[in-house]
Amino acid sequence: MTVIMLWAHTRSISTAFLRMMIERGDVLVLHEPLIALTELGEVPVPTPEGGSVPARTEKEFLELVTSLSRVRPVFVKDVFDYRYEYFYDHPDAIAGITHTFLVRHPRQTISSHYAMKPTVTSQEIGYERQYELFEAAWAATGRKPLVIRSERLVSDPVSVVESFCAYAGLPFLPHSLRWSPGERPEWQRYRAWHVDAIHSTGFSGHRNDYAVTVDNNALLKSYYDHHYPFYELLVRHAD
């Protein structure tokens, strides 16, 4: 039974990581189901028979993916635009999950998030929620979650993905590090957020430039000052 969670903050290159997992072909991949559940009130979860059933609570979602993972490994990627209360408050329910975390330096992340959503709040930046769940997952499982730095992922994808696979109990498949660009049906609801991933063919170190940054905007600087300590606590545990 394998459920692998990749917990990321928004704008951390997590969609490219998910695209790599799709390319493997041996893992069922779910893209941000907890965001969909929070915003829409339910989310479809695949069944072993090839259909789907709706999950209407975080508890139902976990039960369904756990059941599905008895048939094949399940990889779930989600971000911290919201606080998923059940995951924090029910350690027994998350104890059997393999928890991994993807984190990127907040200077670039915050500017990128603001460029996509000028109404973004400090909580939605996500590092505080991310570190809180890191601690909850470690306490629940007794195993330190794997922390991946986005910068190292793009500079040395082979060794980073090898380490991820070893931690998650999956074989390392070198072919998964390259893929063909293109649309994905699971990206359509928030397509604008995934344009870089749509055009990608692998992990890239390309950095976009932004007019509004933590260096020239007081609000973004306040977000940075709040979240940077949580970023530091997370990357302290990265390889």
Side-chain angles (χ1 to χ4, degrees):
M1 183 176 69
T2 303
V3 178
I4 305 160
M5 294 288 310
L6 181 72
W7 297 106
H9 53 80
T10 297
R11 315 310 286 170
S12 60
I13 320 179
S14 60
T15 304
F17 197 100
L18 175 133
R19 182 63 184 84
M20 180 268 294
M21 294 299 292
I22 292 172
E23 194 69 14
R24 292 179 59 92
D26 63 343
V27 176
L28 179 67
V29 177
L30 301 181
H31 173 79
E32 298 179 0
L34 296 176
I35 281 190
L37 175 60
T38 303
E39 294 183 347
L40 303 177
E42 66 178 39
V43 63
V45 178
T47 64
E49 297 75 29
S52 68
V53 293
R56 296 184 174 89
T57 66
E58 292 166 4
K59 180 177 184 290
E60 285 184 4
F61 172 78
L62 268 182
E63 290 171 347
L64 288 169
V65 295
T66 299
S67 177
L68 184 60
S69 73
R70 297 188 178 100
V71 179
R72 63 183 301 192
V74 179
F75 173 84
V76 182
K77 186 270 279 195
D78 235 303
V79 292
F80 289 97
D81 292 44
Y82 303 97
R83 189 181 191 275
Y84 310 113
E85 303 294 341
Y86 189 80
F87 288 79
Y88 295 89
D89 299 339
H90 294 82
D92 291 347
I94 67 170
I97 296 174
T98 299
H99 297 275
T100 64
F101 289 74
L102 181 65
V103 60
R104 186 184 185 190
H105 195 285
R107 183 175 298 278
Q108 186 76 358
T109 294
I110 292 171
S111 299
S112 177
H113 203 151
Y114 179 83
M116 294 300 303
K117 183 181 180 181
T119 59
V120 62
T121 66
S122 181
Q123 286 186 326
E124 289 172 324
I125 297 299
Y127 292 90
E128 182 175 9
R129 291 169 175 165
Q130 189 179 27
Y131 183 69
E132 185 182 6
L133 190 57
F134 171 84
E135 288 194 309
W138 192 350
T141 63
R143 182 189 188 194
K144 184 170 78 169
L146 180 71
V147 179
I148 299 169
R149 293 179 66 244
S150 297
E151 293 83 1
R152 185 157 178 263
L153 175 63
V154 300
S155 67
D156 190 6
V158 172
S159 66
V160 171
V161 175
E162 279 183 330
S163 296
F164 167 83
C165 291
Y167 183 89
L170 298 173
F172 173 59
L173 304 179
H175 78 265
S176 68
L177 299 180
R178 304 295 297 177
W179 53 81
S180 298
E183 305 274 354
R184 295 288 310 180
E186 58 265 52
W187 297 344
Q188 290 309 300
R189 183 163 165 259
Y190 284 121
R191 184 185 184 279
W193 292 79
H194 306 302
V195 169
D196 288 344
I198 288 168
H199 295 295
S200 70
T201 59
F203 295 111
S204 169
H206 172 74
R207 292 179 56 171
N208 296 318
D209 294 323
Y210 301 103
V212 183
T213 72
V214 300
D215 296 315
N216 62 23
N217 182 279
L219 179 64
L220 297 193
K221 180 61 163 59
S222 72
Y223 292 175
Y224 180 88
D225 290 342
H226 177 80
H227 286 280
Y228 187 78
F230 298 104
Y231 163 79
E232 279 198 312
L233 289 169
L234 279 165
V235 296
R236 189 177 297 171
H237 298 284
D239 292 338

